[in-house]
Structure formats: structure tokens, C-alpha cells
Amino acid sequence: MNLAVRDSNSAQASAAQAPPPKDHLARLNEAQRAAVEHGGGQVAAPLLIIAGAGSGKTNTLAHRVAHLIVKGADPRRILLMTFSRRAASEMTRRVERIAAEVMGDRAAVLTEGLTWAGTFHSVGARLLRDYALEIGLDPAFTIHDREDSADLMNLVRHEIGLSKTESRFPAKATCLSIYSRAVNGQAELEQVLGKYFPWCIGWADELKQLFAAYVDAKQAQNVLDYDDLLLWWAQMCAEPAIAEHLGSRFDHVLVDEYQDTNRLQASILTAMKPDGRGLTVVGDDAQSIYSFRAAEVRNILDFPKLFAEPAQIVTLDRNYRSTDAILSAANAVIGEASERFTKNLWTERRSAEKPLLVAVRDEAEQANYVCEGVLAAREEGVALKSQAVLFRASHHSGPLEVELTRRNIPFVKFGGLKFLDSAHVKDLLALLRFAENPRDRVAGFRVLQLMPGIGPSAAGNAMEAMERALDVGLGLQFFKPPARAETDFPDFVQLFLGLRQKSSWPGDLERARLWYEPHLERMHEDAAMRRADLMQLEQIAAGYPSRERFLTDLTLDPPDATSDEAGPPHLDEDYLILSTIHSAKGQEWTKVFVLNAVDGCIPSDLAVGEKEEIEEERRLLYVAMTRAKDSLHLVTPQRFFVHGQAARGDRHVYAARTRFIPDHILGDFARTSWPPPSADKGRGPQPDVRVDLKAKMRGMWR
């Protein structure tokens, strides 16, 4: 028998027995599949995915990345940008799971190459270090968080004499906000002041002087702030040769939550991909609610006409979250918008329960209504965790929090002290940043003043001595400290020189902590709790390959809260969610209550100056409504008591239903009032008496 024929026959038999490859796109609907398969795995025309609330946006984007890898795209040449590091890591895990369905074990090897997945700021920091020499930047730069940037702004303000003005100059945080808004919005300072900070418009010339000095100080100290990570990246892309080289490093660039990008971020994308080929952006113009961070909704609205080759638009309008009644009402609200991509969400989830518009007398009755509704739903089997109360501003929940506490209903409100805002953590990180970059004056001032006897003046003298010396270490060694600091200063110098050598990581952090602990006990009564935070910081540091990477990542993606020793166990692990609408974006709950659905709250009375602001407030209400899966209650208090009067004062105003629910869409809502009017119990028999009160009244004045 011919061996070749036999081998051919056996190969055919094996192929016939092998299971067919699994379709990794089988779970997607038609629109999702069209978005994923756009370009057939090749570098193709720009793609805009308009993804409505609850339409599986994240899932679609993960499938697109996995599909590109399955089709042979090099994962090292894929740039994936999200708005949080957690989202990026979650996306990477999803991509691996999806690719594994087709490629098996090979998928893990390939997805490990997906190293360019992160936030705009983290990607920007990496690229700036890569191109540092080409753009005149020292690659050993450190990154200031918002608080450190405000401190440096304040330091510069004092140095140039703006703290001695006759009238009140804007505070450091306000100055930083103005600077950030001008940079991210790519707008003239006068325009920013006139639109967002009108009370500061008289300081325009002084602010320009301050910002120029602030930039000089940052460059002299080799530090960048958050805004610089985007600004330097954008300026780098303004050079055609660098922009072309940058663009050629990535075949595919994918951006999540594109409606939340600012003008600076949009300019970076168009500079890297001027023809738009290989560019995919995902977002929902109806959920653009972050203009206070300089987000620009026009980025997504204008995207289709940016490039010579028109962008393909795929609309994901099937909602997997809410009932048809809730979607109908939400569509009616957003349908009143002056400009948007045409999109009406639909679902196969049917329900006869329309969203409820509830009229109550005042905020106290509103709190009672929510508590009654929450407890009633709990008795019906809806856990407290599956219910949420949303509001426009954080202070709107005050009366409700009091009532929840009175009724012993556990709740969690989003917020709390940031981990990196705590003094002891900032002290230790400042010590590491100072060793990494001795020109960082904010870090240096903070660290030097930890030692007793060294104040601002002595710290300034020490920094100047380091700057004058040929070597910063020698400058510090030969500096003569004040008499009170002579005991502690030599140990600090020894530590500083050791950290400058970068001997070991994370051993450097342990050495810094051991030096800092005596000062921690001297300055803080709760030193034991704070020491636990520092030990936790060491554990975090062990997961990073270098000090530079640790400092960068911790600044760009800080943890939320500080730790304490574990307390007593929760007796009731179920709790109600309280959240601002901004914080609730991306979340979902079975039952949702929206507080203060009245004009003056939604829209806020601070956001009705311009048409763009009103449109964003409309989108806020839309976001709040689309968080609900089964049940939605919009509560409208009729009476609000005026602030600034006596505690028991009666001055009040009447509120009107929000303008975003006009009369002609009321058919999509059910309406009720609470509490229901009590039945007339009737009157008893009247007394058998006749009194001439008219005569009494006349007699009072005679």
C-alpha cells in the first residue's frame, strides 16, 4: 500500500473526528458582532461604536481585542486605553478567556503581550520615559499628585510675591483648577476665567505670571503633574516625525468611554492616527457627564467626520439591563436632547411597571418614603445591596441619612479619605520621591521638616546647598543644620545617600520606614494604626519591579482608603447603597430611587447658565434612570426650606418637577403622591349652643 495515501487517509480521518473550532462570537448579538468583526482582523477604517447603557459595551470591546489577536494581530502592537487601571486589567483578563476558546493554551502566551493596556495618564507616563531624550526630558522625572501640585503652586505664589496682595488672591486649589481646565480644554486663560471662574477674572495677568513660574519650577525640579502627562504627550505628537513613529508602533488603537475624553486626549489620538486607520472608539454621547473635568462631548459627536475615510458607525441599542417600561421613559427623556446620535434602546425584558413619579411634601417626607420603599422591597426578597438611592449632589442625602440611621437601616455612601492624602503615607512617599529626584522641592521641603528643629527657612537653605553643590549628596553632607536637628540629621543624610544608590527594592522602602517610625510616634497619637498603613505600603511595593515604577503607578492609580485593625464583624452584611449620579455611572441595581427630581436640583441651579450645561444635566438624569433594572422611583419634594435661617424657621420655596420630564412625555411615567390622603373619619355630634361672635368682635374696640 502507498504510504503517502495511507497517511493522507489517516489525516482525513483525524480531521473528521476533531471537534470543530468553537465560535468565540456566538454569544454576541448582530450589532455587537458587526463591531467585533469590523476590518476582518486587519488595519481598517476608523470605527465608532455607540454603546447605549447596559448594551454590553465592555464585553464587545474585549471581544474585538480578542478577535484581533485570534486573527493574527500582534498584541504588542495593540494600544488599549480605558479610564481606570482596574478596567484595563479586567479587560485583559476577558480577552484571555475569549481567545482561549479558540486558541487554547496559546492564548495566555499571546495575551501576556498585551502590555499597552492602561489609562491615558499611565500610557502617557510610559511613552514620555521612552522618548525622554528626544524631547529634552530627564527620564528620572517624578509625578506630583493633585495635592503636591497645589502645594508647589502655593510655594511659587509666595516666591513671586502674590501672597502679599491687598485683595484676596485665589486659593492654591482654585489656581490649580484654572490651570488644569485651560490645559485640558486647550482654551485661552481669559476664556476659561470668563466661563468657569468669573470671580477670578480680575487676576488674569497675575495668574499668567503664576502659571509661567509654576511651569519653570516644575522643569527646574524635574517633576510633572497629571496634566503634564497628557500635555507633554500632545506636544510630542505635534512633531510630525515623533507622531509618525508613535503611530507606527501600534497597528490598533482602541479607546473606551470616548465621551469622557477632553480635547487634549482627542488631539493625541488624531495626531497618532491622522487617517484614523486602526482606530476604534467606544462610548455613548448620552452618558457624557464629566464636563467639570473638561470632558468634551463634541469629541464623540464630531468623530465620524474627522477623517478623510469616514468612520463606520455601529450602534449597540439592545439593552440587557432594564425593563422596556424604564427604557421607554429614559428614551423619552434623552429624546428631548438638542443634538445626539439617533439611538433608542430596546430590550426583550417586558414589564407593566412604569417608572414612578412620586410627589411628597418636603425632604423629610422624601426620606420617609424612601425608607418605607426600601424596607417593603426587602420584605419582598430584594436585598438592600440590590437597591440604590441616587442624588445630584452629595449633600442632598443628608435628611435621608438621618432617617436611615434612626430606623437602623445600614447603608454605605461612596466617599472617604484617600489613602495617599493621609499625612504619614505622604511623608514616606515624599522621602522616596526626594531620593529619586533631589530637585523635587515639594518632596524635599516636606521630608526635611520632619526632623525637629528644621523649619521652612532651614529646609530652604538645605535645598539651596544641594543645588549649589556639584553633587546633591555632598551638598547635603556639608550642610550645617540648626542645633536642635544635629542629632537626627546625620542619620537622615546616611539614609538619603543609601537610597540614592538604589541598592535594593523593596528594601529601600523598609529602610525609609525604619528611619521614619520614631518621627511617626513623636508626631501622631495613633502611631500604631498609621504604622499598619506603612506596612501595607511595603506589601504593595513588593509587587513592583522598581522604585520608579512604584511611585508612578501609586500616583496615577491611588488606593481609596487607609486601613485600621479589623473591627467587630458586621452583624448585618446587607446594606443600602447611597451614591451621587456621577459615582453611579457603570453600576446597576434592581430598584433605584432618584432624590430631588425637581428644577434647581436636576438640573442644578448652578448649571443652567448655558445650553451645553443644561444638556449635560439632562444626560445626568438619563444616566440615573438607566441604572435601574426592574423598578425606578423619581421623588419630587414640593417644598424646600431656605438655608441660612433659624433652625426651626419656616421660610420655604416651592419646587417644580424637573424640566427634563415635560408634560408630553408624562405618559411614560406613573404618578402618585405620598403619603396617601387619610380618609375623613367624620365629625361627632355638634354642641347645642349659639354664640354671637360678631358682637364680640365689634365690642373689642368699644
Side-chain angles (χ1 to χ4, degrees):
M1 184 180 178
N2 189 322
L3 291 178
V5 173
R6 190 178 71 182
D7 289 346
S8 174
N9 291 337
S10 65
Q12 288 174 5
S14 307
Q17 293 172 2
K22 191 172 179 181
D23 184 4
H24 59 294
L25 307 180
R27 292 186 295 272
L28 303 180
N29 63 42
E30 189 177 339
Q32 291 172 330
R33 191 158 187 149
V36 169
E37 293 181 323
H38 170 74
Q42 305 301 309
V43 178
L47 172 65
L48 170 62
I49 304 174
I50 299 295
S55 62
K57 163 180 66 67
T58 305
N59 190 41
T60 303
L61 191 58
H63 272 83
R64 177 154 178 77
V65 176
H67 187 69
L68 290 171
I69 294 172
V70 168
K71 290 293 183 181
D74 186 349
R76 294 167 298 182
R77 295 180 60 81
I78 296 176
L79 173 60
L80 173 62
M81 286 187 287
T82 64
F83 273 77
S84 73
R85 193 159 304 216
R86 181 182 175 189
S89 56
E90 173 60 26
M91 192 82 72
T92 306
R93 286 194 294 271
R94 284 198 191 194
V95 168
E96 184 177 341
R97 287 199 302 269
I98 297 162
E101 294 180 8
V102 181
M103 307 175 73
D105 295 339
R106 285 195 306 134
V109 178
L110 285 173
T111 51
E112 282 177 7
L114 195 63
T115 56
W116 287 97
T119 64
F120 266 95
H121 291 87
S122 65
V123 170
R126 285 181 64 185
L127 289 174
L128 290 179
R129 295 195 197 277
D130 283 357
Y131 291 87
L133 299 178
E134 285 83 358
I135 59 177
L137 185 63
D138 185 345
F141 64 82
T142 49
I143 303 169
H144 276 182
D145 61 19
R146 291 290 183 197
E147 189 173 334
D148 287 333
S149 300
D151 287 343
L152 181 58
M153 185 79 75
N154 202 40
L155 191 67
V156 171
R157 183 167 76 94
H158 284 292
E159 287 178 352
I160 64 176
L162 290 176
S163 57
K164 299 176 183 176
T165 53
E166 292 182 5
S167 56
R168 183 173 64 92
F169 193 79
K172 62 181 183 179
T174 304
C175 293
L176 186 65
S177 297
I178 295 169
Y179 173 83
S180 184
R181 173 72 72 160
V183 167
N184 288 296
Q186 292 186 304
E188 295 292 329
L189 179 61
E190 288 79 6
Q191 183 184 346
V192 170
L193 291 176
K195 188 172 181 180
Y196 303 106
F197 304 92
W199 62 93
C200 303
I201 203 160
W203 296 104
D205 293 337
E206 290 84 355
L207 285 168
K208 282 184 181 177
Q209 181 190 353
L210 172 63
F211 297 159
Y214 174 62
V215 171
D216 290 342
K218 286 190 293 183
Q219 293 185 6
Q221 299 175 30
N222 196 32
V223 299
L224 300 181
D225 59 27
Y226 278 154
D227 302 317
D228 285 332
L229 298 176
L230 298 181
L231 183 59
W232 280 70
W233 187 3
Q235 295 289 356
M236 184 169 73
C237 288
E239 294 296 321
I242 298 180
E244 186 179 355
H245 188 267
L246 256 175
S248 66
R249 291 180 64 171
F250 304 106
D251 295 329
H252 303 276
V253 178
L254 302 98
V255 183
D256 195 12
E257 305 286 5
Y258 190 65
Q259 79 279 352
D260 294 333
T261 53
N262 57 42
R263 289 184 178 175
L264 208 53
Q265 291 163 324
S267 71
I268 290 168
L269 294 175
T270 51
M272 288 177 61
K273 296 291 179 184
D275 58 359
R277 293 188 63 79
L279 184 58
T280 299
V281 301
V282 185
D284 183 5
D285 57 297
Q287 297 188 70
S288 178
I289 58 175
Y290 292 110
S291 66
F292 64 92
R293 297 180 189 165
E296 179 56 71
V297 71
R298 294 240 58 93
N299 287 349
I300 192 168
L301 291 173
D302 297 340
F303 185 83
K305 50 193 179 196
L306 276 181
F307 309 102
E309 187 177 7
Q312 182 175 336
I313 303 175
V314 177
T315 302
L316 308 183
D317 55 4
R318 180 177 177 182
N319 180 284
Y320 292 91
R321 175 186 300 156
S322 307
T323 63
D324 59 336
I326 292 173
L327 288 184
S328 176
N331 287 334
V333 167
I334 203 64
E336 299 291 309
S338 58
E339 187 178 7
R340 69 185 187 106
F341 286 108
T342 303
K343 166 182 84 278
N344 280 312
L345 299 180
W346 63 277
T347 183
E348 292 183 349
R349 297 189 64 220
R350 305 292 175 212
S351 173
E353 184 184 342
K354 292 182 178 181
L356 195 58
L357 274 173
V358 187
V360 296
R361 283 194 293 270
D362 51 33
E363 289 181 285
E365 290 290 7
Q366 177 175 245
N368 281 322
Y369 173 77
V370 171
C371 290
E372 294 282 348
V374 164
L375 292 175
R378 180 175 175 269
E379 292 303 314
E380 293 169 4
V382 182
L384 293 179
K385 280 185 181 178
S386 299
Q387 304 180 63
V389 183
L390 308 183
F391 31 86
R392 172 65 179 85
S394 186
H395 65 271
H396 288 175
S397 65
L400 175 61
E401 291 177 46
V402 173
E403 187 64 18
L404 289 169
T405 305
R406 191 183 73 79
R407 296 190 184 217
N408 198 27
I409 301 173
F411 65 92
V412 170
K413 187 176 178 180
F414 291 114
L417 177 68
K418 298 291 185 186
F419 184 75
L420 297 190
D421 289 346
S422 48
H424 54 296
V425 175
K426 287 189 76 70
D427 289 343
L428 200 59
L429 292 179
L431 182 54
L432 294 179
R433 278 211 320 272
F434 188 43
E436 185 77 13
N437 176 17
R439 286 187 282 169
D440 188 337
R441 290 183 72 87
V442 171
F445 268 105
R446 186 178 189 105
V447 171
L448 288 165
Q449 291 181 72
L450 292 175
M451 290 172 280
I454 296 184
S457 177
N461 293 337
M463 296 288 292
E464 288 171 9
M466 293 171 70
E467 289 172 7
R468 288 195 302 267
L470 293 174
D471 179 79
V472 290
L474 288 173
L476 194 62
Q477 278 182 288
F478 289 114
F479 173 73
K480 184 170 174 58
R484 281 186 60 205
E486 286 179 349
T487 306
D488 295 310
F489 197 73
D491 290 339
F492 171 72
V493 173
Q494 188 179 354
L495 172 71
F496 179 80
L497 296 174
L499 293 176
R500 287 287 295 161
Q501 295 173 0
K502 299 185 180 181
S503 54
S504 66
W505 180 258
D508 289 349
L509 184 56
E510 185 182 11
R511 293 172 64 188
R513 176 179 61 80
L514 291 172
W515 174 84
Y516 176 63
E517 277 188 353
H519 303 288
L520 181 72
E521 292 175 1
R522 175 174 54 81
M523 294 185 294
H524 301 286
E525 293 181 0
D526 54 347
M529 184 189 82
R530 294 174 185 263
R531 190 181 295 109
D533 284 335
L534 301 183
M535 298 295 289
Q536 187 181 357
L537 202 63
E538 278 189 47
Q539 292 178 1
I540 296 170
Y544 289 87
S546 67
R547 184 168 72 201
E548 172 267 311
R549 185 73 180 274
F550 169 71
L551 290 171
T552 299
D553 282 10
L554 208 62
T555 305
L556 296 179
D557 188 31
D560 263 346
T562 56
S563 70
D564 196 355
E565 293 181 3
H570 289 291
L571 299 178
D572 192 341
E573 294 182 353
D574 198 15
Y575 47 81
L576 180 68
I577 305 295
L578 273 58
S579 172
T580 62
I581 301 172
H582 285 98
S583 298
K585 189 169 172 286
Q587 308 292 318
E588 59 181 41
W589 295 275
T590 302
K591 191 181 187 84
V592 170
F593 299 86
V594 181
L595 301 186
N596 296 348
V598 297
D599 249 53
C601 295
I602 305 176
S604 167
D605 53 6
L606 299 176
V608 292
E610 295 189 5
K611 179 183 173 184
E612 291 82 5
E613 293 175 325
I614 293 175
E615 290 300 315
E616 177 157 328
E617 295 289 311
R618 187 192 314 276
R619 295 193 292 268
L620 261 175
L621 180 59
Y622 174 79
V623 167
M625 292 173 68
T626 52
R627 299 310 96 197
K629 292 167 47 176
D630 296 339
S631 181
L632 173 64
H633 297 233
L634 293 96
V635 193
T636 58
Q638 296 173 325
R639 184 167 64 168
F640 287 82
F641 289 96
V642 177
H643 294 284
Q645 61 176 322
R648 302 283 180 188
D650 288 330
R651 288 178 58 215
H652 60 271
V653 295
Y654 280 111
R657 184 182 69 241
T658 174
R659 69 186 72 181
F660 303 138
I661 305 178
D663 290 346
H664 63 269
I665 69 169
L666 281 177
D668 291 303
F669 298 84
R671 301 167 70 186
T672 186
S673 59
W674 195 91
S678 56
D680 187 2
K681 296 179 181 178
R683 296 181 296 179
Q686 292 181 255
D688 187 14
V689 60
R690 296 291 183 268
V691 181
D692 189 357
L693 287 184
K694 288 182 180 179
K696 283 193 173 184
M697 297 299 113
R698 293 193 302 270
M700 286 177 66
W701 305 103
R702 291 177 180 163

